[in-house]
């Protein structure tokens, strides 16, 4: 089942290379991917898919396209084009870092380190956090963190491994600790974002950006937390991160609907119109598989993690994948970008496609993505 799904993904990605013509897909509109010139936070996912497809197929078409994408990211960093946000890890882990990991290309390693330095510019000394969005001092977002940022921390941990400079590691750990303390609630659900006083770091309140309500649990946020804390555990071996990832994973799986693919928010009322977020299930599958890589063979949590990962991926393949639709541009249907603002509420998302393929590569090939070496 995994192999058939990968073959389908590789075929579609090959067609998309010609279709996208060096542009980057983001989300779809009427089943057609919206393209940009490497200006969005999502552009690394396309590049990551190219590297995964190359590693699977060894087809040089993918290699050429992936290298070209890294060059585009080099130019983007030099021009500082739309990089005034925290998502530098998503962008550069799956482009320059992936190239370094696959080809041991020194220029790609240097570019990844430069990207880590850029991410460090989001650090706010007074409030001791990585600011998600907006300029320093921004009245709304100046002291705001978001759970998605946990997936950007691997870039900093990696930069520490490469350079021995503690500043990267310490920044990532302080931010992960703060995320654990304030974004994850006592019942293992999560806030999407949290506000702090910019001047003194005092904790103010949780709030959402893309979820149903300020106190609800946006499913993709929960997914970023599961995978993000698992990756922080990989790099630090701090058992608290492992425990947090496991608790969040259990919450996610305990709230699965009948077809094993989540709705967009765990607290959104469910009726025939309720949107899904297939991307949240794909991200979570990767997170669960990463946890399985880290746990010893006799760990008591292995069986439910394995069951959860397989159920999520089978649910996606059986009900949401575009296998059997050769002209489809995307790999999984019914992702949602921002239901509350009606932005791609029921569409392909390039990150959904990326994590779906990463999970398949983990299952079929024992691949581990490009988050750590
Ligand atoms: N990181 C933004 C999102 O997940 O939509």
């Amino acid at each position: 089942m995994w192999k058939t799904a990968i073959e389908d993904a590789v075929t579609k990605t090959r067609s998309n290379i010609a279709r996208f013509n060096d542009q980057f897909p983001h989300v779809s509109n009427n089943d057609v991917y919206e393209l940009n010139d490497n200006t969005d936070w999502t552009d690394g996912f396309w590049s990551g898919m190219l590297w995964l497809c190359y590693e699977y197929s060894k087809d040089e078409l993918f290699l050429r396209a992936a290298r070209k994408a890294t060059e585009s990211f080099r130019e983007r960093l030099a021009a500082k084009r739309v990089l005034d946000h925290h998502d530098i890890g998503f962008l550069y882990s799956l482009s320059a870092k992936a190239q370094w990991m696959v080809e041991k290309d020194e220029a790609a390693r240097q570019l990844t380190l430069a990207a880590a330095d850029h991410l460090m510019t989001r650090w706010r000394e007074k409030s001791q956090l990585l600011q998600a969005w907006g300029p320093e001092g921004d009245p709304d977002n100046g002291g705001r963190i978001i759970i998605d940022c946990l997936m950007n921390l691997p870039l900093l941990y990696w930069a520490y491994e490469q350079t021995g400079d503690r500043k990267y590691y310490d920044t990532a750990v302080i931010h992960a600790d703060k995320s654990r303390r304030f974004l994850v609630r006592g019942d293992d659900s999560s806030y999407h974002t949290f506000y702090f006083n910019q001047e003194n770091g005092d904790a103010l309140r949780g709030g959402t950006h893309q979820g149903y309500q300020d106190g609800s649990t946006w499913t993709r946020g929960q997914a970023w937390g599961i995978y993000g804390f698992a990756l922080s555990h990989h790099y630090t071996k701090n058992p608290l991160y492992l425990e947090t990832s496991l608790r969040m994973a259990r919450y996610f799986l305990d709230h699965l609907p009948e077809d094993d693919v989540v709705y967009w928010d765990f607290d959104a009322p469910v009726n025939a119109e309720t949107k899904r977020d297939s991307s949240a299930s794909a991200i979570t599958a990767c997170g669960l598989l990463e946890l399985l890589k880290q746990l010893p063979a006799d760990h008591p949590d292995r069986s439910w993690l394995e069951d959860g990962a397989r159920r999520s991926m089978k649910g996606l393949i059986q009900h949401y994948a575009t296998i059997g639709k050769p002209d489809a541009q995307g790999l999984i249907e019914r992702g949602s970008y921002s239901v509350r603002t009606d932005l791609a509420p029921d569409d392909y998302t390039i990150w959904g496609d990326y994590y779906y393929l990463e999970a398949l590569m983990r299952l079929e090939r024992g691949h581990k993505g490009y988050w750590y070496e």
Side-chain angles (χ1 to χ4, degrees):
M1 180 191 259
W2 316 133
K3 191 168 190 305
T4 307
I6 296 181
E7 301 279 347
D8 178 76
V10 169
T11 302
K12 288 196 169 99
T13 305
R14 190 179 283 115
S15 304
N16 280 341
I17 290 175
R19 187 181 273 133
F20 297 160
N21 195 21
D22 295 340
Q23 288 192 295
F24 291 79
H26 174 50
V27 293
S28 69
N29 186 359
N30 291 327
D31 295 338
V32 176
Y33 260 119
E34 294 172 8
L35 302 175
N36 66 75
D37 294 319
N38 202 348
T39 52
D40 221 312
W41 71 274
T42 52
D43 297 327
F45 298 114
W46 170 240
S47 158
M49 289 179 73
L50 296 172
W51 285 111
L52 287 176
C53 286
Y54 171 64
E55 291 206 85
Y56 181 80
S57 68
K58 295 293 173 217
D59 182 340
E60 300 241 331
L61 175 87
F62 294 112
L63 179 61
R64 283 193 297 275
R67 284 178 177 161
K68 207 165 176 180
T70 299
E71 283 316 304
S72 170
F73 279 99
R74 180 184 308 287
E75 187 269 321
R76 180 170 176 174
L77 188 62
K80 299 276 186 293
R81 193 170 62 245
V82 200
L83 291 177
D84 46 355
H85 55 73
H86 69 116
D87 281 326
I88 312 305
F90 282 127
L91 295 173
Y92 285 87
S93 298
L94 300 178
S95 56
K97 176 136 81 72
Q99 179 163 5
W100 160 250
M101 288 172 64
V102 176
E103 299 200 283
K104 289 291 168 254
D105 179 284
E106 177 57 23
R109 190 181 85 95
Q110 292 297 335
L111 177 58
T112 316
L113 288 171
D117 282 335
H118 187 74
L119 179 53
M120 288 294 289
T121 67
R122 303 303 298 173
W123 175 250
R124 302 292 174 250
E125 191 61 34
K126 283 190 280 189
S127 45
Q128 297 278 294
L129 52 82
L130 288 164
Q131 182 183 338
W133 305 301
E136 188 161 10
D138 184 274
D140 296 326
N141 295 317
R144 194 173 184 190
I145 64 169
I146 68 171
I147 199 159
D148 321 29
C149 188
L150 288 160
M151 293 299 292
N152 292 317
L153 301 184
L155 183 61
L156 299 183
Y157 293 123
W158 175 87
Y160 164 65
E161 279 185 354
Q162 293 291 316
T163 63
D165 188 336
R166 289 283 312 185
K167 76 174 179 229
Y168 301 109
Y169 185 91
D170 292 344
T171 298
V173 163
I174 293 169
H175 191 86
D177 285 347
K178 188 161 268 170
S179 301
R180 182 177 167 276
R181 174 154 179 222
F182 293 101
L183 291 170
V184 186
R185 294 182 288 237
D187 67 350
D188 311 333
S189 67
S190 54
Y191 286 116
H192 182 192
T193 84
F194 206 97
Y195 295 86
F196 297 86
N197 181 310
Q198 301 187 47
E199 296 306 320
N200 61 18
D202 191 24
L204 299 177
R205 68 177 176 90
T208 199
H209 179 59
Q210 282 147 283
Y212 177 61
Q213 286 176 333
D214 278 340
S216 71
T217 301
W218 181 50
T219 49
R220 191 156 72 250
Q222 189 82 4
W224 292 137
I226 294 165
Y227 200 178
F229 281 115
L231 292 169
S232 271
H233 175 253
H234 165 81
Y235 277 107
T236 65
K237 306 296 179 256
N238 180 344
L240 291 175
Y241 297 149
L242 177 63
E243 186 237 30
T244 305
S245 176
L246 285 168
R247 283 198 285 120
M248 295 184 80
R250 199 184 275 282
Y251 183 97
F252 193 100
L253 297 175
D254 281 351
H255 291 78
L256 286 181
E258 71 296 336
D259 69 358
D260 294 328
V261 172
V262 288
Y263 293 97
W264 68 286
D265 190 297
F266 286 119
D267 297 290
V270 174
N271 55 48
E273 306 303 316
T274 308
K275 305 296 187 210
R276 303 270 174 172
D277 185 7
S278 56
S279 77
S281 285
I283 296 160
T284 294
C286 290
L288 302 178
L289 293 166
E290 175 55 36
L291 284 167
L292 283 164
K293 255 195 187 318
Q294 296 180 16
L295 294 179
D298 58 352
H299 196 282
D301 288 329
R302 287 194 73 88
S303 60
W304 65 264
L305 286 168
E306 198 157 332
D307 179 62
R310 285 175 181 275
R311 275 171 67 193
S312 298
M313 288 308 290
K314 278 189 186 159
L316 286 171
I317 290 173
Q318 284 167 357
H319 305 294
Y320 299 86
T322 56
I323 298 167
K325 297 181 183 174
D327 295 331
Q329 296 187 8
L331 304 184
I332 49 172
E333 297 172 339
R334 306 213 59 189
S336 61
Y337 186 15
S338 180
V339 176
R340 67 186 277 129
T341 53
D342 204 29
L343 198 58
D346 192 2
D347 292 277
Y348 302 136
T349 67
I350 196 61
W351 60 91
D353 286 358
Y354 170 79
Y355 286 102
Y356 168 75
L357 183 55
E358 184 191 302
L360 289 170
M361 286 286 282
R362 282 175 174 270
L363 287 161
E364 179 66 20
R365 288 276 173 101
H367 202 282
K368 59 183 173 54
Y370 301 112
W371 311 101
Y372 62 87
E373 294 201 44

